[in-house]
Amino acid sequence: MSEQESRDNAAADAVRQKYGFGFSWLVLMIALPPLVYYLWICVTYYQGELIFTSDAEAWRRFWSHVSPPTWQAAGLYAAWFLGQAALQVWAPGPTVQGMKLPDGSRLDYRMNGIFSFLFTLAVVFGLVTMGWLDATILYDQLGPLLTVVNIFTFVFAGFLYFWGLNGKQWERPTGRPFYDYFMGTALNPRIGSLDLKLFCEARPGMIFWLLMNLSMAAKQYELHGTVTVPMLLVVGFQSFYLIDYFIHEEAVLTTWDIKHEKFGWMLCWGDLVWLPFTYTLQAQYLVHHTHDLPVWGIIAIVALNLAGYTIFRGANIQKHHFRRDPNRIVWGKPAKYIKTKQGSLLLTSGWWGIARHMNYFGDLMIALSWCLPAAFGSPIPYFHIVYFTILLLHREKRDDAMCLAKYGEDWLQYRKKVPWRIVPKIY
């Protein structure tokens, strides 16, 4: 590793620790699992009402709904996780190189997400059609599955912690065991060709999210004899988002999580528990709420989703292509950029000349379009947009601090060239 790369890595590590939640990591690790249970119980047993009470007996009744693990849920999830791992390793797909690591090396990644995604849907459809699998099983087993996956992620994060203790010099842990358990000790833990972080980032969590949505729609049909327009919008929007993700799967290699974040409890639990069990809150809510939407409302929500997608995907693909080929045309003109002293290029044209994270702006528009079909009978379907806004604001600040530490004056010049962080003319 060169002296410059060593300095860059030290600066990045300092920023990672500064914005790595401080001591709040412990609060998050203790509070987030009960929060997911809380939201699920409110939606499933209290019609979406947020429960706040000082009555100890009422709280006892409330938490009595927490489901213990079952052998059926454990077997279902084990088969799911191992099956998706097998597809990650053996399914056909091109092999591409990731971004350069601090030691100058690049890792190979098998990009077979779209095949795995479609193959999984075909298998599940076949099992349901033949009567070997109940279409509503994920809804019916949601409580036990939530417990099983929580237990699994805590154990799996322990495995990841010990796996990374003997990693490369630039992956050195902080020496604070519980913090390192939370944030991770290895950037790219692998078992053979299976990259655990890339795998968990998408396959067992994101495809599971879609199957859970479909199970919610099946449950609504079973209970009410119909699948409502709001349910179709939510399932359709989120399915489109996931299909698009897997079509452009290679773009994930240039994201913050893959490039900078070590793989510990935070990402592991977020990928396997938080994502599938909270991103389905709108569908969970709609199972028992069969309201209609006016035509103008449907049109407005669809327009919001498509506009958000245009910005989100356009910005991400633009930067991905620029990193691969800086000479590529951007919006019909040669790309404009700032060349840093380290040799890195900072794109200042196209979407990236409007705001430093226009992709986040598009993502927030998409997130809001997922919430609006649930109407306004409960605040729980809007939990996603609130959480997602906080997440992206925090991530933008981490990214900004990381780039300032790495590029110095060049980053200050970039800030002047592109002053808006996420929302043009506002923030």
Side-chain angles (χ1 to χ4, degrees), residues 143-179:
L145 278 169
L146 178 55
T147 301
V148 165
V149 183
N150 260 301
I151 293 171
F152 172 73
T153 52
F154 274 87
V155 174
F156 189 40
F159 165 79
L160 294 170
Y161 168 79
F162 289 106
W163 180 272
L165 288 181
N166 297 315
K168 298 178 181 179
Q169 188 273 335
W170 46 268
E171 291 182 305
R172 61 193 182 281
T174 66
R176 297 153 55 195
F178 292 106
Y179 176 82

Side-chain angles (χ1 to χ4, degrees), residues 36 40 77 80-81 138-139 142 145-146 149-150 153 200-214 216 238 242 267-284 370 384 387:
V36 179
W40 168 68
Y77 194 74
W80 169 255
F81 193 87
L138 295 183
Y139 177 87
L142 195 62
L145 278 169
L146 178 55
V149 183
N150 260 301
T153 52
C200 290
E201 181 84 8
R203 307 304 175 77
M206 294 185 80
I207 302 178
F208 201 55
W209 162 24
L210 173 60
L211 293 180
M212 286 174 65
N213 271 348
L214 295 174
M216 308 296 171
Q238 296 185 352
L242 290 170
L267 281 185
C268 178
W269 187 87
D271 292 338
L272 302 182
V273 178
W274 183 264
L275 189 148
F277 289 95
T278 67
Y279 280 46
T280 55
L281 279 171
Q282 294 87 9
Q284 291 180 44
W370 295 351
H384 177 71
Y387 137 76

Side-chain angles (χ1 to χ4, degrees), residues 338-397:
I338 295 171
K339 186 172 183 178
T340 68
K341 295 181 179 65
Q342 289 88 343
S344 300
L345 306 179
L346 304 176
L347 181 61
T348 60
S349 61
W351 292 113
W352 301 93
I354 300 175
R356 292 177 233 159
H357 277 291
M358 278 296 288
N359 56 332
Y360 289 178
F361 182 43
D363 222 353
L364 289 170
M365 294 171 68
I366 293 171
L368 181 59
S369 76
W370 295 351
C371 302
L372 289 170
F376 304 103
S378 167
I380 289 181
Y382 291 84
F383 173 80
H384 177 71
I385 186 62
V386 173
Y387 137 76
F388 205 50
T389 300
I390 295 170
L391 172 74
L392 293 185
L393 289 175
H394 180 264
R395 181 168 290 184
E396 187 279 330
K397 289 183 180 297

Side-chain angles (χ1 to χ4, degrees), residues 52-59:
F52 299 103
T53 178
S54 58
D55 185 344
E57 178 59 24
W59 277 123

Side-chain angles (χ1 to χ4, degrees), residues 40-49 139-140 142 215-224 226-228 230-231 280-292 374 378 381:
W40 168 68
I41 292 171
C42 287
V43 166
T44 304
Y45 297 99
Y46 294 87
Q47 293 296 304
E49 180 185 354
Y139 177 87
D140 296 333
L142 195 62
S215 188
M216 308 296 171
K219 191 66 178 183
Q220 188 187 65
Y221 184 81
E222 178 185 278
L223 293 174
H224 307 287
T226 185
V227 178
T228 62
M231 179 69 85
T280 55
L281 279 171
Q282 294 87 9
Q284 291 180 44
Y285 175 78
L286 290 171
V287 167
H288 296 286
H289 295 81
T290 56
H291 59 267
D292 294 319
S378 167

Side-chain angles (χ1 to χ4, degrees), residues 72-89:
Q72 183 181 14
L76 186 66
Y77 194 74
W80 169 255
F81 193 87
L82 294 175
Q84 289 301 307
L87 286 172
Q88 176 79 70
V89 174

